[in-house]
Structures are given as structure tokens and as C-alpha cells.
């Protein structure tokens, strides 16, 4: 006799009694949130009351008032008649610029040094080890001051600027380099670059699919680079092949024209990147060494050379160990950029200090700094968590 359909289990009703663990959990969470909100309200109310008693103005209305000071290095145009909020925006862009360029340099340099520490070449391994041991054990503030003093003491004045390459000048005034004069043709060139990146990504996916299906590893880096280069060249030709450049020129007193970055920016970016690269190198080295030795033996048995073993076996598995501490180093570099005030670079903290001295709005300025760095840190962590999820090995 065939069994009949299984009876539908009765729906579990939520119990609202104190004996229910779920109910107690909801109550505890409500109490915790209420307590945090109460403490925040008390601190805010107490601070505002004390400020009012002492006759100290409060509020963010000062942000729309003219700043009254200039900023030596800006990504966007700024003068003393602009409001304070634009000064904070300039400081934010300066901070982001240092963080992004510093992270890129530190990642490339740290990865190379970390791999070099595992080299079979004794001299290369010794040099990489010395780099790590020296730069990670010297406080970052001292390194920033060292780079700043070196750039200001060793470089010649602007009138005698070094010319390391055509159109490039290096002096106490900073590093000047040529930039394209914007014409509509560069828009097509940019569109070609975007299209090239998309095509390179599609090729990378196809190459990996072919490797999974046939076991034949196809080159990825150089073909992808060629695709991007051809796409950029096609966009450049389609836009009329523009070649106009704003070239810097050395005059009797200084260097004019082109674009330039100041010694303060160079000292801050190089100092943070070189310091952080020492920690990234150790993260990469330990991540590679965390891969079981059996994986290397299996790769060797397949006939893969050292480069292929690193590219196809070691690094993909090491990323699970590398990415979480790497995220911490990215966050540290971004937050350490607040030391820019020591070398005179106008970052967010430096501009906030100037604003605080002029307006007396200490609580508001500190709140803005905290909110900005919290947002930058959470955004960086979210991006790295997404990449960590993408890089995780999918087990069957």
C-alpha cells in the first residue's frame, strides 16, 4: 500500500513569553539601542549647554562663510573668497589623492618585495629582507620628515631644476610634467580606453574558461594590455590624433606651464607608500607560505614553471589569507595621511586646523574630520570585502 502524502507540519507560532530566546533577544537589542541613543543624546545636550553657558558659538552655519585663506595645492580651483565647505572639499580631494596613489604604489612595491623574499636568489632575498626590517621599524612620522628634508635639501632651486626627461623638471618647487591640452578628441580616446578595459575583461574570462575546459593556460596579461593599447590608439585616431601638450618650461627664475606636484605631496605619498609596502610585503610572503606544500608539489608534477606556479596556484589560494590584513594596511595608509600637517601638505586635517583657529568651532571641525575618515574607511572596507568574496575559492 502506497504511503499517502506527508502531512504538512503545523506552523510554529512565535512565543512572546520571557521563556522564548528569540523574544529575549529582541528585548535586549531594543534596550541596547535605546541605551546608546540615550548616551548620545546626553553627550550632545551636555556639550551644547556648556558651549552656550561659556558664550561659544556652535553649529555648522560657518561652512557658507568666506574662508579668508588660500590653499597652496588644490585639485579644484579655490581662492580665499570661497566658503569653508569648499575648503573642506579641497582638503578631502587632497587626502583622497594621496590615499589612492599611495595605495597603488604600496601594493605594487609590497607585492614585489614579498615575492622577492621567497626568491632562490640570495642577494635579492637579502635586499628585500633588509628593506622590510628597516622601513617597518622606523616610525612613519620620522620617515615623512626624512623624505621632506631630503627633497628640500638635495634638490636644486627652481631656476636650476633638474631635467630627468624631456618636458619634466624636478626641483625644490616640485615635480613639473607635461599634460594634454583638452580637446574633444581626447573624449574618444577615453571612450576607447573604457572599451579596451571591457574587452580585456571579456578576454580574461574567456581565457580562464578555456583553461578550465582544456587545461591549456593562455597568456592573459600581455594580450589584455595589447587590447587596451589598441583600443586607446583607435579612439585617439578616431578623435583626430590630437597631440597638443602643455609643456613646462624653465625660465630664469622658475618652471612655468604644464602640471606640477609639490615636494610636500611627494614626501607624504612616498613616505606612506614605502612604509606601508614593508607591511604588505610580509602579508604577501606569509600568505604564499600559508599555501600547503602539497599544492606546490602538484603544480611541479604538472610541469608548471616557477612563474606559472605563482600565477595559477600560489597567489589565487594565498589571496584568502592576504586580503583581510591587506585591507587593514589600506585603512592605515588612509588614516596616516592625517600626518600631512607635519610636512605642510594641505590635507583635510590641516585645513580643519586652520578653520578651527579662525572660527573657534572645534566640535564641528572635529566632527567633520571624524565623519570623513569614517566614511573613507567604511568605503575601503566594503570594497575590499566585495573583492574578498570574489576572490574566495568556490568549493564544490
Amino acid at each position: 500500500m502506497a504511503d499517502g502524502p506527508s502531512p504538512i507540519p503545523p506552523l510554529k507560532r512565535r512565543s512572546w513569553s520571557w521563556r522564548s530566546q528569540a523574544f529575549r533577544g529582541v528585548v535586549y537589542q531594543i534596550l541596547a539601542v535605546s541605551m546608546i541613543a540615550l548616551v548620545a543624546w546626553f553627550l550632545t545636550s551636555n556639550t551644547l549647554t556648556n558651549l552656550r553657558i561659556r558664550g561659544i558659538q556652535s553649529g555648522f552655519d560657518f561652512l557658507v562663510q568666506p574662508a579668508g585663506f588660500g590653499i597652496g595645492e588644490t585639485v579644484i580651483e579655490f581662492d580665499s573668497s570661497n566658503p569653508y565647505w569648499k575648503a573642506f572639499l579641497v582638503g578631502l580631494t587632497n587626502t583622497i589623492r594621496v590615499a589612492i596613489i599611495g595605495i597603488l604604489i604600496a601594493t605594487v612595491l609590497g607585492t614585489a618585495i614579498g615575492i622577492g623574499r621567497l626568491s632562490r636568489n640570495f642577494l635579492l632575498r637579502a635586499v628585500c629582507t633588509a628593506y622590510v626590517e628597516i622601513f617597518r621599524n622606523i616610525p612613519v612620522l620620522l620617515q615623512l620628515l626624512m623624505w621632506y628634508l631630503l627633497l628640500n635639501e638635495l634638490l636644486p632651486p627652481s631656476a636650476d631644476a633638474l631635467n630627468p626627461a624631456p618636458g619634466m623638471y624636478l626641483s625644490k618647487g616640485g615635480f613639473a610634467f607635461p599634460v594634454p591640452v583638452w580637446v574633444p578628441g581626447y573624449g574618444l580616446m577615453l571612450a576607447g580606453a573604457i572599451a579596451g578595459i571591457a574587452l580585456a575583461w571579456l578576454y580574461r574570462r574567456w581565457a580562464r574558461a578555456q583553461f578550465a575546459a582544456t587545461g591549456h593556460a593562455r597568456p592573459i596579461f600581455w594580450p589584455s594590455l595589447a587590447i587596451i593599447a589598441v583600443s586607446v590608439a583607435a579612439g585617439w585616431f578616431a578623435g583626430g590624433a590630437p597631440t597638443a601638450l602643455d609643456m613646462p618650461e624653465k625660465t630664469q627664475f622658475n618652471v612655468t606651464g604644464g602640471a606640477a606636484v609639490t615636494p610636500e605631496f611627494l614626501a607624504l605619498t612616498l613616505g606612506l607608500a614605502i612604509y606601508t609596502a614593508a607591511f604588505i610585503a610580509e602579508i604577501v610572503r606569509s600568505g604564499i607560505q600559508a599555501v600547503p606544500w602539497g599544492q606546490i608539489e602538484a603544480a611541479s608534477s604538472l610541469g608548471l614553471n616557477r612563474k606559472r606556479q605563482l600565477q595559477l596556484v600560489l597567489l589565487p589560494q594565498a589571496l584568502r589569507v592576504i586580503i583581510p590584513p591587506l585591507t587593514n594596511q589600506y585603512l592605515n595608509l588612509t588614516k596616516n595621511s592625517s600626518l600631512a600637517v607635519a610636512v605642510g601638505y594641505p590635507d583635510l586635517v590641516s585645513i580643519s586646523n586652520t578653520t578651527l583657529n579662525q572660527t573657534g568651532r572645534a566640535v564641528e571641525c572635529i566632527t567633520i574630520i571624524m565623519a570623513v575618515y569614517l566614511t573613507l574607511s567604511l568605503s575601503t572596507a566594503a570594497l575590499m570585502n566585495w573583492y574578498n568574496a570574489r576572490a574566495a575559492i568556490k568549493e564544490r
Side-chain angles (χ1 to χ4, degrees):
M1 184 176 180
D3 295 335
S6 58
I8 300 176
L11 296 176
K12 294 183 178 179
R13 295 183 178 181
R14 184 180 296 275
S15 175
W16 297 105
S17 67
W18 189 252
R19 295 180 179 180
S20 171
Q21 183 177 359
F23 175 73
R24 293 198 305 271
V26 172
V27 172
Y28 292 148
Q29 292 179 45
I30 293 175
L31 291 175
V33 172
S34 301
M35 185 64 66
I36 294 173
L38 180 61
V39 171
W41 171 84
F42 173 77
L43 292 176
T44 304
S45 176
N46 189 50
T47 300
L48 294 176
T49 301
N50 289 331
L51 290 176
R52 187 170 57 254
I53 292 174
R54 288 165 175 78
I56 301 176
Q57 293 182 340
S58 61
F60 293 91
D61 56 308
F62 72 97
L63 291 174
V64 297
Q65 300 173 3
F69 60 87
I71 301 176
E73 186 170 357
T74 64
V75 179
I76 57 179
E77 294 184 2
F78 181 84
D79 59 62
S80 58
S81 62
N82 292 132
Y84 281 109
W85 67 262
K86 193 170 184 179
F88 279 103
L89 181 61
V90 171
L92 174 61
T93 55
N94 286 345
T95 297
I96 292 176
R97 181 170 62 154
V98 169
I100 292 177
I101 297 176
I103 285 174
L104 292 177
I105 296 175
T107 302
V108 174
L109 182 61
T111 302
I113 293 173
I115 295 174
R117 289 207 63 190
L118 301 175
S119 173
R120 296 171 181 172
N121 186 300
F122 172 77
L123 180 59
L124 177 60
R125 190 169 64 249
V127 170
C128 293
T129 301
Y131 175 94
V132 171
E133 295 302 330
I134 291 174
F135 285 104
R136 75 171 178 174
N137 289 303
I138 299 176
V140 62
L141 180 58
L142 294 181
Q143 295 192 41
L144 296 181
L145 294 175
M146 177 193 71
W147 284 108
Y148 182 69
L149 292 175
L150 286 176
L151 290 174
N152 279 276
E153 292 295 330
L154 299 181
L155 292 179
S158 299
D160 302 319
L162 300 176
N163 186 210
M168 297 183 181
Y169 295 94
L170 186 62
S171 66
K172 294 182 186 296
F175 176 61
F177 52 91
V179 291
V181 177
W182 179 259
V183 293
Y186 284 121
L188 292 177
M189 185 177 174
L190 179 60
I194 296 174
I197 293 173
L199 291 174
W201 178 75
L202 292 175
Y203 170 78
R204 178 172 174 268
R205 290 196 62 180
W206 174 81
R208 289 193 169 186
Q210 289 294 310
F211 175 70
T214 64
H216 177 62
R218 300 179 182 273
I220 294 178
F221 177 77
W222 292 113
S224 299
L225 188 62
I227 291 172
I228 295 174
V230 170
S231 299
V232 171
W236 180 66
F237 279 111
T243 58
L245 293 174
D246 184 8
M247 300 287 293
E249 297 180 358
K250 185 170 69 171
T251 65
Q252 184 177 0
F253 301 102
N254 56 14
V255 177
T256 60
V261 291
T262 62
E264 291 79 12
F265 171 81
L266 293 175
L268 180 64
T269 305
L270 288 177
L272 291 177
I274 290 174
Y275 174 77
T276 307
F279 292 90
I280 293 179
E282 286 296 273
I283 292 171
V284 172
R285 178 192 62 80
S286 61
I288 293 175
Q289 289 184 324
V291 178
W293 182 254
Q295 297 290 319
I296 302 176
E297 293 178 333
S300 299
S301 67
L302 294 175
L304 297 178
N305 57 31
R306 182 78 171 173
K307 178 182 176 181
R308 282 296 187 180
Q309 290 178 16
L310 188 65
Q311 179 183 358
L312 301 175
V313 179
L314 296 178
L315 281 180
Q317 297 186 64
L319 284 177
R320 295 181 297 176
V321 180
I322 291 174
I323 292 177
L326 184 64
T327 302
N328 292 335
Q329 294 307 316
Y330 289 170
L331 298 177
N332 288 338
L333 188 149
T334 302
K335 290 180 288 188
N336 285 337
S337 66
S338 61
L339 296 173
V341 66
V343 296
Y345 179 72
D347 76 321
L348 179 69
V349 175
S350 176
I351 292 174
S352 298
N353 289 337
T354 303
T355 303
L356 188 155
N357 292 331
Q358 291 189 177
T359 63
R361 308 290 178 91
V363 175
E364 291 80 359
C365 290
I366 294 175
T367 300
I368 292 174
I369 295 174
M370 292 174 60
V372 168
Y373 277 102
L374 180 62
T375 302
L376 291 177
S377 297
L378 292 178
S379 301
T380 303
L383 180 62
M384 293 301 295
N385 287 338
W386 170 81
Y387 180 68
N388 189 27
R390 289 292 301 271
I393 296 178
K394 307 298 188 297
E395 298 183 357
R396 298 180 180 177

